[in-house]
Amino acid sequence: MHKFTAAATAALALGSGLALAPAASAGAAVPAPRSVVASSVRAGGALTAGGTAPACIHRTVTQPTPEYQHVFLYNTCGKTMHVKVIVNYWRDTSCVKIKNRHQKVFTLNFGTYRKTVVC
């Protein structure tokens, strides 16, 4: 009789809407904002495309005159890296390949330097 009572109580609770929502719907996954996804790291430690370039890509930005900026990128990552410069108020640079221990210089005639990303 005890088993029947427990089953009947459970059925009554379920039928009356007192049951809890399943765990999956209570904490449903919400997609991350685009900026968070863009800078995520893969399980193997490699940056995903579009994420901020790692610290081994050294950046130096100079502004010799108010009309333009120079962006110097130097690669010490131990491997060839593909990067591009994100520019405020203008088009971003194209994706370029920088070999290990090599430098690439960009001259920004329009816009201002924002950040460097992998591509």
Side-chain angles (χ1 to χ4, degrees), residues 8-48:
T9 303
L12 180 62
L14 288 173
S16 65
L18 296 177
L20 297 174
S25 66
V30 176
R34 184 177 175 95
S35 61
V36 173
V37 172
S39 60
S40 65
V41 177
R42 290 185 188 149
L47 289 170
T48 59

Side-chain angles (χ1 to χ4, degrees), residues 63 69 85-90 108 110-115:
Q63 189 158 359
Q69 291 181 325
V85 173
I86 305 299
V87 181
N88 289 322
Y89 313 114
W90 197 248
L108 304 179
F110 300 98
T112 56
Y113 173 84
R114 179 171 175 208
K115 66 180 179 175

Side-chain angles (χ1 to χ4, degrees), residues 47 52-59 73-81 83 98-102 116 118:
L47 289 170
T52 301
C56 59
I57 300 291
H58 299 276
R59 306 136 171 100
L73 303 178
Y74 184 71
N75 179 4
T76 61
C77 296
K79 62 181 181 178
T80 299
M81 297 292 291
V83 296
I98 306 176
K99 294 180 182 178
N100 186 43
R101 303 282 179 200
H102 283 76
T116 303
V118 294

